[in-house]
Amino acid sequence: MSTPDTPANGSEKNIQVQSSSTRWMTTRKELWSYYLYYVGNNGLSGFNFGPSQYQNLLFLAGHDPTQPGSQAPCSSNGCVLLYLGKLRDINSVVLLTNGISFAIQAVLLILIGAWADYGTWRPQITIIFTLLAVAVSFAWLAVDDPSKWPAGTALYVLGLITYQITLTFWTAAFPGLAENLPEIQTSQERVKDGSQTPEDHNRTKSLARNRISNISFAVCSAGEVVILAIMVGILKALHAEATVENNTKAFSVLIAFSGGMWLLCALPWFLFEKRRPGLSLPAGTSLLTIGPKQIAVAFKKCLRLKQTFLYLIFYFLMGDVLNTTVTVIGTLQNSIVSYSTLELTLLLIVGIVAQALGIYTFWSVQHRYKIRTKTMLLFNVFWIILLTIWGLIGVHTNSFGFKHVWEVWAYQVFYGFFVCPWYAYSQTMISEVSPLPQMFLFFALFSVVGKTSAFIGPLVSSAIITASNNNDNMPFAFLFALGVCSTVFLWMVDMDKSVTECDDFIRAEETTKIFDL
């Protein structure tokens, strides 16, 4: 989903009217290439089927801990495997590996994340990591046997990393595309000749950005449904449901097909994206140091903005809660449907349709009743916490709590409709609590904070499962408590005070260079 980039407030002093050469004017061909790339980078290979195939291989390679020896195949009694020197439940293995992947992502983003804003490297990085992601997808074709689960571990980690990095650098092209739209350039000229106010220009720019975000999401959703529908046909042709071996091979074929579609959809963007120059490197920095310095500067500035800092704490904690909750439920879902490629594909179709309906409904209600972003986010967070309660119930009972097939179908609808709007509202809130002239710094800070928090929850949850005698629902107790705690920080954010703080901050920074500590 594209990252919203809307003004933090309407103050005239915060209006930045920038001129740009017609050389960088956004064309219709470039814009639709941008949309099409999102269809390919939909997460099916690295975020959906890759993790499912990995867990499937672990299940087939593991053994039943209730039976003597280590030869009894996994069953409903449990499934364990020797991993990193310790016998672990396979769900714990998935969470631990997931945490390792996000830790690597956090380090990479700290080091090279700033390259999305500075210099001219962003398009090249997008291309390089896209090609790596596609290569990882095709490499799964050689990993379709349980004995190859160690190779699956490497591909699982690489798939998640390349998916997230490409998404980050693709999203970074959004502000440049929006700023160089013909209607935005025309609006800027009208501000210069006095025929339009800066406030009207701001509204025009905000609407244009929202239009790009909404269309990119709609095109991605429609394209993803088409790809999944084709996958259903592929599964039928492979007779995936006939045997366990067929199902395992089908997983790898689907991942490779997703990679092929990604490459096909990415080529127009590689060809038609205009290589717009980024920001110039500040004095005393280099490409190797700009990332860590940017985060350090943004964090110190954030400490001067109380409301922004409160939201940063909330974003750190709740982002961890949601990421880990979805991962834990994903591992439970895979085992509940017995790793059926067909059923998992159909579940994804239901989830995407529900997601589209949910985001449209939330946006329509907010637009009609003029509801503030914070209120919408609080409403959204309520459903995230309810999701953890759903799983928590299953700690001591097998009657409810992601234990049955009907629950995972209900979950896809629930998650898509009520939870997915988080990705839009949480990003919009960043723009509303950040000072406009330095917003790129704050988005960079929140991006790194989000990735950093994402590896803590999986590692803690993996340890909880191991310590609770392999109770796969026990992490929900930790996630529920953390979710409630984080919501307190969101409740404390005062949006009116945030506007005042940002205005005061901008005035204080007028004579200061951005990177002065």
Side-chain angles (χ1 to χ4, degrees):
M1 184 174 300
S2 299
T3 303
D5 188 13
T6 54
N9 59 66
S11 174
E12 276 192 39
K13 292 184 179 181
N14 295 346
I15 305 298
Q16 289 187 316
V17 178
Q18 302 172 348
S19 61
S20 137
S21 168
T22 54
R23 174 186 176 189
W24 306 121
M25 190 79 75
T26 302
T27 64
R28 184 178 180 84
K29 181 167 59 176
E30 182 187 22
L31 197 56
W32 277 95
S33 298
Y34 177 81
Y35 298 149
L36 190 60
Y37 182 91
Y38 199 16
V39 174
N41 189 10
N42 50 41
L44 288 178
S45 56
F47 194 72
N48 295 118
F49 290 116
S52 295
Q53 171 69 317
Y54 177 53
Q55 189 179 347
N56 175 52
L57 294 174
L58 294 177
F59 180 81
L60 296 175
H63 65 272
D64 187 340
T66 64
Q67 301 297 319
S70 58
Q71 300 304 314
C74 293
S75 67
S76 58
N77 295 324
C79 186
V80 296
L81 192 74
L82 186 65
Y83 183 72
L84 296 181
K86 189 173 183 178
L87 205 60
R88 305 174 190 271
D89 179 270
I90 62 168
N91 287 5
S92 175
V93 172
V94 173
L95 286 166
L96 183 55
T97 309
N98 184 274
I100 293 171
S101 171
F102 273 102
I104 296 172
Q105 288 176 43
V107 173
L108 279 174
L109 281 176
I110 290 174
L111 293 176
I112 69 171
W115 297 6
D117 298 317
Y118 295 91
T120 58
W121 278 89
R122 183 190 52 73
Q124 287 84 348
I125 293 174
T126 304
I127 293 173
I128 290 169
F129 275 92
T130 299
L131 294 178
L132 284 174
V134 172
V136 169
S137 299
F138 281 107
W140 275 106
L141 289 173
V143 183
D144 56 4
D145 184 89
S147 64
K148 297 178 180 178
W149 71 264
T153 302
L155 294 180
Y156 172 50
V157 171
L158 288 172
L160 286 175
I161 291 172
T162 52
Y163 166 67
Q164 293 290 351
I165 297 296
T166 52
L167 196 60
T168 297
F169 279 82
W170 168 81
T171 302
F174 171 70
L177 282 174
E179 189 67 35
N180 288 280
L181 285 169
E183 59 265 39
I184 300 302
Q185 295 299 303
T186 301
S187 178
Q188 288 178 348
E189 293 302 320
R190 288 175 179 170
V191 173
K192 288 181 181 179
D193 63 26
S195 61
Q196 180 176 283
T197 65
E199 287 80 2
D200 286 338
H201 170 69
N202 239 14
R203 282 191 288 271
T204 300
K205 188 158 61 173
S206 178
L207 287 172
R209 287 171 171 171
N210 282 317
R211 186 180 75 248
I212 293 176
S213 295
N214 291 333
I215 292 177
S216 64
F217 169 76
V219 171
C220 177
S221 297
E224 193 171 354
V225 169
V226 171
I227 291 173
L228 287 168
I230 296 173
M231 286 180 171
V232 171
I234 293 174
L235 293 174
K236 294 292 186 181
L238 294 174
H239 304 290
E241 298 290 288
T243 64
V244 172
E245 290 76 14
N246 283 7
N247 187 68
T248 302
K249 290 181 183 296
F251 262 126
S252 294
V253 171
L254 292 187
I255 297 170
F257 177 72
S258 299
M261 292 302 298
W262 187 349
L263 180 60
L264 184 65
C265 292
L267 288 176
W269 178 240
F270 295 166
L271 294 172
F272 300 130
E273 180 193 6
K274 295 185 176 180
R275 270 48 175 177
R276 299 177 179 86
L279 300 171
S280 299
L281 286 171
T285 65
S286 67
L287 285 175
L288 294 178
T289 62
I290 183 61
K293 183 167 184 177
Q294 177 172 271
I295 299 306
V297 170
F299 185 75
K300 289 190 176 183
K301 291 178 183 291
C302 187
L303 292 176
R304 294 163 51 192
L305 298 163
K306 180 182 178 182
Q307 308 310 313
T308 309
F309 188 64
L310 286 172
Y311 183 67
L312 181 69
I313 297 173
F314 161 77
Y315 188 81
F316 177 86
L317 297 175
M318 185 54 74
D320 191 24
V321 170
L322 180 56
N323 173 72
T324 309
T325 298
V326 170
T327 303
V328 172
I329 295 174
T331 61
L332 296 174
Q333 174 180 272
N334 289 334
S335 60
I336 289 171
V337 301
S338 301
Y339 306 95
S340 167
T341 48
L342 180 59
E343 192 153 10
L344 288 171
T345 303
L346 295 175
L347 282 166
L348 281 172
I349 293 175
V350 170
I352 292 167
V353 173
Q355 177 180 319
L357 291 173
I359 291 177
Y360 176 76
T361 301
F362 270 61
W363 181 85
S364 297
V365 170
Q366 182 186 21
H367 182 72
R368 179 174 181 179
Y369 296 103
K370 311 300 180 185
I371 302 173
R372 301 184 78 168
T373 301
K374 178 188 170 182
T375 304
M376 295 299 296
L377 188 56
L378 281 167
F379 180 70
N380 175 246
V381 164
F382 166 78
W383 299 106
I384 296 175
I385 293 176
L386 191 62
L387 198 58
T388 65
I389 296 174
W390 185 348
L392 184 58
I393 295 173
V395 169
H396 297 297
T397 178
N398 288 321
S399 301
F400 190 74
F402 303 110
K403 306 286 185 176
H404 308 284
V405 173
W406 71 265
E407 286 187 89
V408 297
W409 285 95
Y411 160 70
Q412 287 294 337
V413 175
F414 180 94
Y415 172 76
F417 194 89
F418 291 109
V419 177
C420 276
W422 154 270
Y423 300 102
Y425 288 115
S426 63
Q427 293 294 307
T428 302
M429 270 290 289
I430 297 174
S431 68
E432 295 190 5
V433 297
S434 302
L436 181 60
Q438 298 184 19
M439 193 173 292
F440 77 97
L441 271 180
F442 287 87
F443 265 103
L445 174 63
F446 276 84
S447 177
V448 170
V449 163
K451 290 295 184 294
T452 302
S453 71
F455 76 81
I456 297 174
L459 294 179
V460 172
S461 296
S462 174
I464 290 174
I465 290 175
T466 301
S468 63
N469 197 26
N470 298 330
N471 187 325
D472 294 329
N473 283 67
M474 189 59 74
F476 289 112
F478 159 71
L479 296 169
F480 168 71
L482 190 61
V484 172
C485 176
S486 68
T487 305
V488 174
F489 289 98
L490 176 61
W491 186 267
M492 292 168 62
V493 176
D494 188 314
M495 299 306 296
D496 294 326
K497 285 185 179 179
S498 179
V499 172
T500 302
E501 287 179 1
C502 287
D503 283 341
D504 292 342
F505 177 87
I506 292 169
R507 281 192 290 269
E509 291 277 308
E510 283 179 348
T511 58
T512 305
K513 292 183 179 180
I514 288 180
F515 277 79
D516 286 345
L517 294 175

